[in-house]
């Protein structure tokens, strides 16, 4: 089973027309094993699928980085006699894929992504944690049983729907009220992305708050504290790792959001003037990839992969940061509690 599945994976990577043969052998051996040696087959399937998942993720990561190498070399700069790749992408602010000199600066796109993420976090973070506290500690059980599934259903609404609402409702209203030229503002894109991330933050944070032992809350109330003091001094600190993970998941959703930003923004790789001006929206890393991938080739296609590398590293750092916060809180509270 394991050998045939690895052979099928190798054939897929090499684009071999014989890939179906080892995969068919895997299915046959898995079927026979499930009938004759069920326990051993279950263990082998679990191990094989785990290894395959890790290999697929590694291949995707390697592929993204390899495809970005040409633009990294093109945008290299010689510093103290040493050629440093990709430096020019982060020190210049000009993106020009047509006329000479060709430049692929990521600075305007990182700037747009940062503004949208900060606004979305400011919307989803406080509102999400407050709603989770209400559902976990204040709301009656009847209200919780209705609102919690409703919030989780909202998380399944496609992002293009939020983007369409923002494009047809928020953007025209903002253009009229603030007398903007054209549509698309970082402010309202951030608001829409924050509303998209809100169900995720509420759901995960509420699960973390509900997992705090009732004995800790009862002991605090027995000491004469109010419900609000118990929530702020006992429940939130005890569930801080889960709550912070919920907020970081929301931030990850904001960073990786594609369709809402693509629909609502101008998708022009240019800095706003001044830099803190959120009433104009040019483009983000994800909107650049979505709007240019179909017609890009050569160095421009490699530049889009470079944007993907930046997004990959950013989300990886956020994930490691959430794991570190969880580890620190476990160490502070003691043990695995």
């Amino acid at each position: 089973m394991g050998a045939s599945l690895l052979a099928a994976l190798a054939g897929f990577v090499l684009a071999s027309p014989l890939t179906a043969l080892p995969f068919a052998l895997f299915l046959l051996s898995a079927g026979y094993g499930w009938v004759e040696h069920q326990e051993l087959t279950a263990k082998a399937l679990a191990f094989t699928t785990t290894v395959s998942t890790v290999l697929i993720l590694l291949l995707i990561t390697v592929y993204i980085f390899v495809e970005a190498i040409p633009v990294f070399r093109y945008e290299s700069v010689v510093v103290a006699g040493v050629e440093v790749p990709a430096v020019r992408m982060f020190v210049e602010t000009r993106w020009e894929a047509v006329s000479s000199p060709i430049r692929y600066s990521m600075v305007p796109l990182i700037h747009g992504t940062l503004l949208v993420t900060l606004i979305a976090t400011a919307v989803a973070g406080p509102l999400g944690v407050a709603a989770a506290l209400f559902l976990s500690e204040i709301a009656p059980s009847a209200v919780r049983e209705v609102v919690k599934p409703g919030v989780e259903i909202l998380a399944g609404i496609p992002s293009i729907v939020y983007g369409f609402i923002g494009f047809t409702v928020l953007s025209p209203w903002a253009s009229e009220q603030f007398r903007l030229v054209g549509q698309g503002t970082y402010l309202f894109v951030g608001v829409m992305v924050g509303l998209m991330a809100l169900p995720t933050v509420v759901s995960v944070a509420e699960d973390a708050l509900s997992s705090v032992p009732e004995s800790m809350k009862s002991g605090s109330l027995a000491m004469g504290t109010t419900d609000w003091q118990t929530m702020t001094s006992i429940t939130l600190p005890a569930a801080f790792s889960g709550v912070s993970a919920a907020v970081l998941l929301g931030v990850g959703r904001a960073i990786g959001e594609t369709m809402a930003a693509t629909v609502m923004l101008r998708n022009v790789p240019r800095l706003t003037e001044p830099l803190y001006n959120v009433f104009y929206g040019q483009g983000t890393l994800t909107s650049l990839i979505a709007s240019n991938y179909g017609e890009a080739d050569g160095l421009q296609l490699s530049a889009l992969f470079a944007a993907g590398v930046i997004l990959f590293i950013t989300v990886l750092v956020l994930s490691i940061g959430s794991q570190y916060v969880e580890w620190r809180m476990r160490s502070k509270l003691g043990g695995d509690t």
Side-chain angles (χ1 to χ4, degrees), residues 37-272:
H37 311 281
Q38 192 173 43
E39 183 178 356
L40 181 61
T41 303
K43 292 180 179 179
L45 279 173
F47 175 76
T48 304
T49 52
T50 302
V51 173
S52 301
T53 302
V54 174
L55 286 176
I56 291 171
L57 290 175
L58 288 176
L59 287 173
I60 292 174
T61 304
V62 171
Y63 178 75
I64 293 173
F65 277 85
V66 169
E67 290 295 321
I69 288 177
V71 77
F72 286 157
R73 290 177 176 173
Y74 177 78
E75 298 290 357
S76 61
V77 174
V78 177
V79 180
V82 179
E83 186 175 1
V84 182
V87 171
R88 201 161 53 195
M89 300 176 70
F90 303 100
V91 297
E92 293 188 2
T93 61
R94 182 172 174 267
W95 174 288
E96 182 53 67
V98 179
S99 60
S100 183
I102 303 298
R103 291 290 182 266
Y104 300 103
S105 174
M106 295 293 164
V107 175
L109 305 167
I110 295 174
H111 169 258
T113 303
L114 181 61
L115 287 181
V116 170
T117 303
L118 289 176
I119 296 169
T121 304
V123 172
L127 291 179
V129 175
L133 271 174
F134 173 77
L135 291 175
S136 175
E137 304 298 321
I138 301 174
S141 58
V143 176
R144 186 183 304 113
E145 293 299 324
V146 174
V147 175
K148 180 70 183 297
V151 170
E152 293 176 349
I153 291 174
L154 289 176
I157 297 178
S159 60
I160 188 65
V161 175
Y162 287 96
F164 182 73
I165 293 174
F167 179 75
T168 57
V169 178
L170 280 181
S171 291
W173 179 84
S175 298
E176 180 180 352
Q177 295 296 319
F178 299 102
R179 298 180 181 178
L180 303 177
V181 179
Q183 295 189 11
T185 65
Y186 288 135
L187 176 62
F188 290 103
V189 172
V191 170
M192 293 303 300
V193 174
L195 293 177
M196 290 174 54
L198 191 58
T200 302
V201 177
V202 173
S203 181
V204 177
E206 197 274 336
D207 290 338
L209 292 169
S210 297
S211 65
V212 176
E214 191 64 33
S215 58
M216 297 177 64
K217 307 174 190 176
S218 300
S220 174
L221 293 172
M223 295 296 292
T225 61
T226 63
D227 290 337
W228 174 250
Q229 289 172 329
T230 299
M231 283 189 289
T232 55
S233 60
I234 300 296
T235 307
L236 268 179
F240 183 76
S241 59
V243 173
S244 62
V247 176
L248 287 175
L249 281 174
V251 173
R253 177 77 184 269
I255 292 175
E257 175 49 42
T258 303
M259 293 312 300
T262 304
V263 170
M264 294 181 67
L265 293 176
R266 295 175 176 85
N267 298 313
V268 178
R270 187 180 304 163
L271 290 172
T272 57

